[in-house]
Amino acid sequence: MRRIVVLATVTVFFAANIAVNMVYDLTIAEADYYRTSCQTGSQEQQARLTVLLVTAHQAGDIASRLCQSESISKAYGSVDVSWKPRTQLSSQELITEAYDVIWSREHVLIGLVPNIGQYYDPLLHFDHYSVYWLSLQNTPVLTAEYFQEKRIGLLADKNSHTHYLLPLESLHRSGIASDSLELVHFQDTNTLYQSFQNGEIDLITGGSGYTSPTPVYSTLIDDDAIAASFFVRQALSNQTIRCELIHALSPLKSLWQGIALHQSVPQTCP
Amino acid sequence: MPLTLHLLRRYGFVFLLASLLFACSAVGTSLLSARWQVNNLMNDRIMPGIIEASRYSLMDEATVVTIAEQVNNDLQSLSLQSWLGTLSSCELQLRAIENTAIASAPANHGFSQHLQVTHQTGQQDALSASLSASFTLDCLVAPGPVLSMSFLFAAFVTALIAGLPRAYSPQQRQLLNVLSDVGLEWQDIQTVLTHLQKNDTASLQWYDFLIQRIQSGSLSVEQLMQSANASDCIQFHHDRQSVSIRGIEVPLSRTPYFYYALYAHQRHDDAQRNFSACDDNGWILNPASGRANPEHTRLLLNLMKTHDGHQKAIKELEAHGVRAKTMDQNRNKVKEELIKVLGESVAEQYLFETRRDSRTGRNHYRLKTSATKIILPL
């Protein structure tokens, strides 16, 4: 009996000890991770320059270039570069001009706001580009026999022209049923390219700017694919700032390699 | 030893042990629960956030580092809550996404835990089904709350252990049942058990003896109470040739009794004379044939003549002295009579032990009972 009483009491105390020492709540601030910000150092300006990209690639570099720009610091107190999923861009954000610069395809923006021209101007406009089926083994042939038992790499982003829409469209046009094929969806382009180079994937699609360390066999899908361009808020009419924006976006140049570029600002940009 | 010092030694250890256990469990609980909460946070917020931020992007090292910076900025706002505030602060840092290590500030030198988490991206495809990241969780323990609560709890537990009556052994419980069955009052039962709380082998054998005797009806309640109140000694009664062992009187035959008393005197007197510094005293060497020990003969004759010994035995002693054969016979008789009353296991403690004399080849005998437990008439 004595042992039971002692054991029960010790158990109760241990339970109480655990209860009072347990960490019952742990919180962090509500934040998303597709955004990087920096301060320009301006004491007078409170305004924030906002840029929307489609990838986190070089986002930090772009933000710091903008923050270090003298012209930008005269007009803005901080810079916010976001790469939130493009499917989350809304009509309301376009109408309220939530972003100063947007990287997107023109038809996507028109789809959201038909009179987008009233809100945004082209900043860097890209011509159409070519997209190819790529293989490390042999030249891709658009027949069901060729595609049979091949692993085909796509991007999980259903808005991706190069890595989702155009390859599926190509298969459909060639009469190859995509549901009978082994389609592998990737979360990001780098893993898609790495898996292709490692041989885990037999076929992928790529733009004319795709570079490979080993020889690649290619078959054209479309020589008139629509490239994404940069748009700037009409109200942001300061040409110096527009030039600074173009300069700050230059780390992304490797992504539009091989695509003709039209700069929508005066030739006064350095 | 003063009572307070005794209690301090006895329960101080319990208090310290309980304090240590409570402190360890407090720190362990805090760290484990913090880890558990962090795991939830990573699965519910951080990993989905990283996956959303990296989705469809070109995931080169610079991109990973950019996303990791946002995560680590966010993690600086980490706050945790517990009732006692055992952990003064915790720092969670993202150390790697997949194979890309993230440079971050060194830990705060507290309790550091490494956490590896793999989160499903939501795609079925095996090649891009999951994203893994590793974190470190560094927590500093606040010693004040931990020690104060541990000491408080330990004090409660120690007081409880000290305050409760001591536990009964199986033999004591059996004795309690038997005493209850024979109708002994609860107060008397408590008296008996309180006096028989020792748990050494001899005491346990004594419980068995009492239980058997009470069950067989050969031990009265009065005798039992007498035994409970008696000391753990053997008392010799020369006038009625009996011994009292733990309060139970065992009558012996006259002549064997006096031989038994001879050994008791030898053990007792040797100790009184400080015959040997160690406990090597009280031995009586069996005499050689025709060479009786005059001192033992004189002592034995004195006992017998003074306390109504058998005339035949007295005459024989006067004629031949103490002989080995007679000593052997009387020791055997004592053994036989003690076993008859007390049973072999209990009686054994009060009988004789032997050792061989290497020079003469004869045996020494003495009482097993130590001199301090032998009570002889004045």
Side-chain angles (χ1 to χ4, degrees), chain A residues 2 5-6 9-10 13-14 16-31 33-36 55-57 60 83 85 88 151 156-157 184-190 200-201 255, chain B residues 22 25-26 29-30 33 37-38 41 45-46 49-50 52-53 55-60 63 70-71 74 77-84 86 121 123 125 127-128 153 156 160-161 164-167:
Chain A
R2 183 178 189 268
V5 172
V6 170
T9 310
V10 170
F13 273 104
F14 262 104
N17 194 42
I18 286 170
V20 296
N21 287 293
M22 187 173 279
V23 173
Y24 64 82
D25 196 17
L26 192 144
T27 53
I28 51 172
E30 290 288 334
Y33 304 141
Y34 47 68
R35 185 194 313 276
T36 181
T55 171
H57 183 63
W83 57 94
Q88 292 181 20
R151 288 167 69 82
D157 179 6
V184 183
H185 296 86
F186 289 82
Q187 291 299 323
D188 65 89
T189 325
N190 234 28
E200 293 165 6
I201 293 297
L255 299 182
Chain B
F22 278 127
S25 75
T29 300
S30 304
S33 58
Q37 293 282 359
V38 163
L41 186 72
R45 286 273 313 279
I46 300 171
I50 293 174
E52 189 176 52
R55 186 163 283 170
Y56 317 140
S57 289
L58 269 169
M59 283 289 282
D60 55 8
T63 308
Q70 313 315 307
V71 176
D74 187 30
S77 66
L78 183 77
S79 72
L80 47 87
Q81 288 172 312
S82 66
W83 295 111
L84 201 60
T86 314
T121 58
Q123 294 296 315
D125 164 54
L127 289 175
S128 54
F153 281 4
F156 271 117
L160 179 86
I161 291 172
L164 282 176
R166 297 193 67 187

Side-chain angles (χ1 to χ4, degrees), chain A residues 11-207:
Chain A
T11 307
V12 167
F13 273 104
F14 262 104
N17 194 42
I18 286 170
V20 296
N21 287 293
M22 187 173 279
V23 173
Y24 64 82
D25 196 17
L26 192 144
T27 53
I28 51 172
E30 290 288 334
D32 52 56
Y33 304 141
Y34 47 68
R35 185 194 313 276
T36 181
S37 303
C38 56
Q39 302 295 317
T40 61
S42 169
Q43 300 297 320
E44 298 84 30
Q45 297 299 332
Q46 297 297 314
R48 188 172 55 178
L49 180 69
T50 53
V51 178
L52 178 63
L53 305 177
V54 294
T55 171
H57 183 63
Q58 302 293 351
D61 194 10
I62 293 166
S64 54
R65 277 168 178 258
L66 290 170
C67 279
Q68 286 163 13
S69 160
E70 199 178 324
S71 310
I72 298 291
S73 66
K74 283 178 183 169
Y76 297 95
S78 62
V79 173
D80 191 1
V81 175
S82 170
W83 57 94
K84 79 171 183 178
R86 49 186 154 189
T87 50
Q88 292 181 20
L89 181 64
S90 66
S91 304
Q92 192 182 4
E93 285 173 317
L94 293 176
I95 291 166
T96 58
E97 300 176 37
Y99 296 99
D100 294 296
V101 178
I102 295 175
W103 187 11
S104 182
R105 287 188 170 84
E106 189 172 11
H107 67 261
V108 173
L109 299 182
I110 292 171
L112 289 168
V113 178
N115 55 342
I116 190 71
Q118 289 181 13
Y119 303 97
Y120 286 90
D121 290 335
L123 179 67
L124 291 172
H125 185 78
F126 296 99
D127 275 348
H128 295 182
Y129 67 107
S130 300
V131 177
Y132 303 87
W133 280 111
L134 303 174
S135 166
L136 295 178
Q137 291 148 8
N138 47 34
T139 305
V141 182
L142 288 167
T143 62
E145 291 74 26
Y146 179 83
F147 278 84
Q148 208 63 42
E149 295 182 2
K150 289 214 166 38
R151 288 167 69 82
I152 301 157
L154 303 176
L155 205 57
D157 179 6
K158 292 184 178 175
N159 289 312
S160 168
H161 265 59
T162 310
H163 300 296
Y164 187 83
L165 293 172
L166 288 176
L168 289 185
E169 201 179 287
S170 164
L171 292 171
H172 179 71
R173 275 205 314 265
S174 305
I176 304 165
S178 60
D179 53 2
S180 65
L181 303 177
E182 191 176 356
L183 303 177
V184 183
H185 296 86
F186 289 82
Q187 291 299 323
D188 65 89
T189 325
N190 234 28
T191 317
L192 173 73
Y193 292 161
Q194 277 173 13
S195 298
F196 176 61
Q197 290 295 337
N198 293 342
E200 293 165 6
I201 293 297
D202 301 311
L203 285 163
I204 62 166
T205 49

Side-chain angles (χ1 to χ4, degrees), chain B residues 187-229:
Chain B
Q187 198 174 351
D188 291 336
I189 293 175
Q190 286 300 311
T191 307
V192 173
L193 293 175
T194 305
H195 282 85
L196 299 177
Q197 277 205 336
K198 285 184 183 173
N199 280 322
D200 55 281
T201 310
S203 299
L204 297 179
Q205 286 170 343
W206 189 248
Y207 299 151
D208 288 337
F209 163 74
L210 292 178
I211 290 165
Q212 284 168 16
R213 289 303 153 121
I214 294 164
Q215 283 177 327
S216 66
S218 57
L219 191 72
S220 68
V221 171
E222 290 72 26
Q223 285 176 307
L224 175 68
M225 293 304 294
Q226 200 177 337
S227 172
N229 290 312

